[in-house]
Amino acid sequence: MTEYVKVHGVVLVSTPYKEYDNRIELLTMEYGRITVFIRGARRQGSQSAAASMPFTFAEYELYQGRDAYSFHSANIIRYFDGLAKDFDIMCYASYFSEMARYFSRENVEASAEVNLLYFSFLELEKGVVKSNLIRLIFEYRMLQIQGIGPNVYECVVC
């Protein structure tokens, strides 16, 4: 009997694999960055196609293979389709995903990183705050989460 694992995460990267499949990298709260294979995601009318789109936040039900996870089902929480409507905003969102991918590790809990990505995407989509400011806040917060943020509370020389 196959044992399923439920994870909450965001799709960082989605790449074609074989003829009709997708290989995605998920940043999950529970297991950090993981690789997931979604069979038939590129078939016409596939129900799993939406779960493999970048910037998708969902609760995924997966089963663990030897080297990676395989997709069983997903409950999509939020898909940020508004990010793809503006090219500059999409570039910022892609940069945030790439930065999260760079700093995350496999099998290391990443709930702070997932929350940071979620709220950054939310603010980018709203368009109220300037994208440059969101980028600076994202970078500063990501560095703080990783423990390498700048010390702005006291003089470093003294």
Side-chain angles (χ1 to χ4, degrees):
M1 184 171 152
T2 306
E3 188 174 324
Y4 295 109
V5 177
K6 283 193 177 189
V7 296
H8 297 85
V10 58
V11 178
L12 298 176
V13 179
S14 178
T15 54
Y17 179 75
K18 294 188 180 177
E19 192 170 349
Y20 294 110
D21 304 340
N22 268 352
R23 177 190 174 274
I24 62 172
E25 285 190 33
L26 279 178
L27 182 62
T28 65
M29 291 182 164
E30 298 84 1
Y31 299 113
R33 189 181 71 236
I34 59 174
T35 301
V36 179
F37 291 97
I38 302 180
R39 299 201 194 299
R42 293 187 301 138
R43 286 190 190 275
Q44 188 80 9
S46 172
Q47 294 180 352
S48 59
S52 68
M53 299 294 292
F55 317 133
T56 300
F57 281 82
E59 179 184 28
Y60 291 88
E61 194 170 299
L62 313 169
Y63 53 95
Q64 190 170 8
R66 205 173 41 204
D67 298 328
Y69 290 85
S70 292
F71 176 83
H72 180 260
S73 66
N75 179 22
I76 295 178
I77 298 167
R78 180 80 190 255
Y79 176 65
F80 290 98
D81 58 340
L83 298 177
K85 293 177 182 171
D86 183 2
F87 182 73
D88 292 334
I89 299 297
M90 188 180 68
C91 288
Y92 278 107
S94 297
Y95 170 68
F96 294 165
S97 292
E98 188 61 35
M99 194 168 175
R101 184 177 177 216
Y102 177 79
F103 281 113
S104 61
R105 291 177 281 304
E106 291 187 19
N107 297 318
V108 176
E109 184 240 338
S111 59
E113 291 92 333
V114 171
N115 285 331
L116 179 61
L117 265 177
Y118 181 82
F119 288 110
S120 298
F121 288 169
L122 200 60
E123 288 302 316
L124 279 175
E125 194 173 57
K126 283 182 189 174
V128 176
V129 181
K130 290 188 177 184
S131 303
N132 239 3
L133 179 59
I134 297 171
R135 179 186 58 86
L136 291 172
I137 293 168
F138 180 87
E139 290 171 343
Y140 178 74
R141 187 69 186 114
M142 182 61 82
L143 291 175
Q144 271 191 328
I145 291 169
Q146 300 305 317
I148 54 176
N151 186 1
V152 294
Y153 302 109
E154 60 187 340
C155 179
V156 181
V157 178
C158 298

